[in-house]
Amino acid sequence: MKQLVRMFTAVFLVAFVLIYVTFQLNSTEGYSSGNTLSIYNWGDYIDPDLLKQFEQESGIKVIYQTFDSNEAMMTKIAQGGTTFDVAVPSEYAISKMKEENLLLPIDHSKLSNLKYINPRFLNLSFDKENQYSVPYFWGTVGIVYNPKLLGGKEITSWNDLWDGDLRNQILLVDGAREVIGMGLNSLHYSLNDTDEAHLQEAKNKLNALTPNVKAIVGDEIKMLLAGEEAAVGVVWSGDASEIMSENDELDYVIPEEGSNLWFDNMVIPKTAKNIEGAHEFINFMLDPEHAAQNAEYVGYSTPNEKALEYLPEEIAGDKRFYPDPSVTDKLEVYDNLGKRMLAHYNELFLEFKMYKN
Ligand code: N2P
């Protein structure tokens, strides 16, 4: 009898450990099964209270992971080892993911809140009729700067950044398209230029900027600029807005040579396990009050027209972050340059980073 009890205890223990390990693996690797939803988003890109609220209202447990570049996100999704139910790529990445058959079509009949999106952000060339993606945030790339630290100097162009007075004063966002794009734009070339001579010229020009570059950083760029560790930052507009809400010495400008206009949309990756839950989450984020709460928390610009009514006028009316179409029409959206050319942009960016260090 004793032996039987011991055997049962042992079997029970082994089963318990197995169940525990499986559960841990599932939650850390982002696998979603049963009533869970696995979300893959940019860092600092959602109000965590909204995730809690979604969990409470839907009864679905959220497993949340972040990335810091489209390239990293696409590699992980293409590898397929981890499955995600919702991800938030930018436009050129959406186009590439469609091409590589990595996305599932979105069922608009499940998105009652889609009607709140300003039509200006729908039906764009990277995803006609929003078959595979739904707007989340949008914005520009520009320069945030601190006139106080610059002795009152104003910055209006990319070329201002090469000024010898800015030695060790510039922080750059850690993004290949953004940094190479800045080099190209400073030479009045397109952000989507694929001419090798132009790309080399842009890289050489960027190399000449290195004495002014203090560091190339991720989301900590906001803390460093708000804390006045550097006078100038090349950032996504929403990060500038967040920095400026913490330090009102700073200003944001879209450089006069031109810059990037970007759109980040929610998608459902092909390997999704909870397609129903993914639609439920997307519709939750499209709700105007949720979209407004999210925009206010992260600092980025919402494409949700109705949400603007819930935002304070100082946010919704700030033309630096909600520029009119007359301004955005002059900006360039990144094209999907194809696998080889995108890899080449990454290589050039890595070479620049190596040169800098
Ligand atoms: C937020 C990153 C925003 C990405 N941390 C802009 N595409």
Side-chain angles (χ1 to χ4, degrees):
M1 180 69 192
K2 251 192 197 158
Q3 221 174 353
L4 209 63
V5 170
R6 243 184 262 145
M7 210 172 79
F8 267 123
T9 318
V11 168
F12 177 77
L13 272 177
V14 169
F16 179 79
V17 168
L18 277 178
I19 290 170
Y20 180 78
V21 167
T22 315
F23 179 78
Q24 286 297 320
L25 270 180
N26 282 351
S27 52
T28 51
E29 284 298 306
Y31 285 104
S32 56
S33 58
N35 223 11
T36 60
L37 187 76
S38 183
I39 300 173
Y40 200 26
N41 198 357
W42 293 82
D44 287 356
Y45 218 30
I46 200 160
D47 178 351
D49 284 346
L50 285 168
L51 291 178
K52 278 189 221 132
Q53 193 183 330
F54 174 74
E55 286 185 322
Q56 275 159 10
E57 283 176 18
S58 64
I60 298 174
K61 163 128 193 61
V62 169
I63 298 159
Y64 193 79
Q65 286 190 55
T66 60
F67 56 84
D68 54 16
S69 72
N70 281 300
E71 289 65 29
M73 177 269 310
M74 285 191 281
T75 307
K76 191 146 182 174
I77 289 186
Q79 279 166 353
T82 312
T83 64
F84 297 103
D85 299 307
V86 177
V88 189
S90 308
E91 67 300 299
Y92 72 96
I94 293 170
S95 159
K96 185 161 183 273
M97 290 169 92
K98 270 169 45 180
E99 217 170 73
E100 292 176 9
N101 208 14
L102 291 174
L103 302 179
L104 289 178
I106 290 189
D107 183 348
H108 287 210
S109 73
K110 298 199 164 109
L111 303 181
S112 55
N113 294 325
L114 187 58
K115 59 178 178 284
Y116 298 119
I117 297 291
N118 182 330
R120 172 184 173 195
F121 301 105
L122 295 172
N123 198 21
L124 297 175
S125 64
F126 59 89
D127 186 23
K128 281 284 176 198
E129 301 187 354
N130 293 85
Q131 254 193 299
Y132 294 94
S133 75
V134 166
Y136 185 67
F137 282 125
W138 68 282
T140 56
V141 171
I143 304 171
V144 63
Y145 67 101
N146 190 328
K148 189 185 74 184
L149 297 183
L150 293 175
K153 197 184 287 211
E154 216 192 326
I155 289 188
T156 56
S157 72
W158 289 123
N159 279 292
D160 287 341
L161 301 186
W162 275 260
D163 184 332
D165 288 349
L166 293 185
R167 213 182 162 84
N168 214 23
Q169 281 301 333
I170 303 176
L171 296 173
L172 298 179
V173 60
D174 191 3
R177 300 255 357 215
E178 286 70 21
V179 174
I180 302 296
M182 165 175 92
L184 288 166
N185 265 174
S186 77
L187 293 161
H188 301 277
Y189 295 141
S190 160
L191 287 175
N192 297 309
D193 205 322
T194 56
D195 179 314
E196 188 54 26
H198 293 172
L199 287 168
Q200 289 302 328
E201 203 184 326
K203 197 184 78 175
N204 293 336
K205 179 145 186 195
L206 287 170
N207 287 347
L209 183 69
T210 52
N212 288 357
V213 178
K214 185 171 179 132
I216 302 167
V217 280
D219 283 330
E220 61 275 28
I221 201 164
K222 290 180 278 185
M223 192 187 73
L224 295 170
L225 288 161
E228 307 197 340
E229 298 286 332
V232 178
V234 172
V235 294
W236 290 299
S237 49
D239 282 358
S241 142
E242 176 70 11
I243 294 162
M244 286 155 60
S245 70
E246 285 180 24
N247 184 335
D248 55 19
E249 296 288 345
L250 290 113
D251 204 353
Y252 177 72
V253 65
I254 298 173
E256 61 200 21
E257 299 93 336
S259 189
N260 167 236
L261 170 70
W262 54 263
F263 308 96
D264 288 345
N265 284 15
M266 296 179 272
V267 300
I268 306 179
K270 191 100 188 180
T271 50
K273 296 249 166 55
N274 189 352
I275 296 168
E276 198 56 39
H279 283 91
E280 204 177 324
F281 177 77
I282 292 173
N283 202 41
F284 176 89
M285 295 311 294
L286 290 172
D287 172 276
E289 285 185 65
H290 300 157
Q293 180 180 332
N294 204 27
E296 189 159 5
Y297 183 91
V298 299
Y300 277 83
S301 310
T302 178
N304 192 310
E305 182 126 58
K306 181 87 182 151
L308 296 178
E309 293 172 21
Y310 297 101
L311 281 171
E313 172 55 24
E314 71 204 58
I315 295 182
D318 191 332
K319 294 286 179 210
R320 291 169 299 188
F321 303 115
Y322 285 91
D324 292 326
S326 62
V327 174
T328 53
D329 282 352
K330 296 194 190 92
L331 302 176
E332 270 183 296
V333 180
Y334 297 138
D335 287 340
N336 169 14
L337 301 175
K339 210 181 178 99
R340 281 190 47 205
M341 192 44 73
L342 287 175
H344 187 46
Y345 267 63
N346 282 338
E347 261 161 37
L348 292 170
F349 182 49
L350 277 182
E351 280 168 30
F352 166 67
K353 280 187 178 175
M354 253 141 61
Y355 182 88
K356 198 231 146 320
N357 289 326

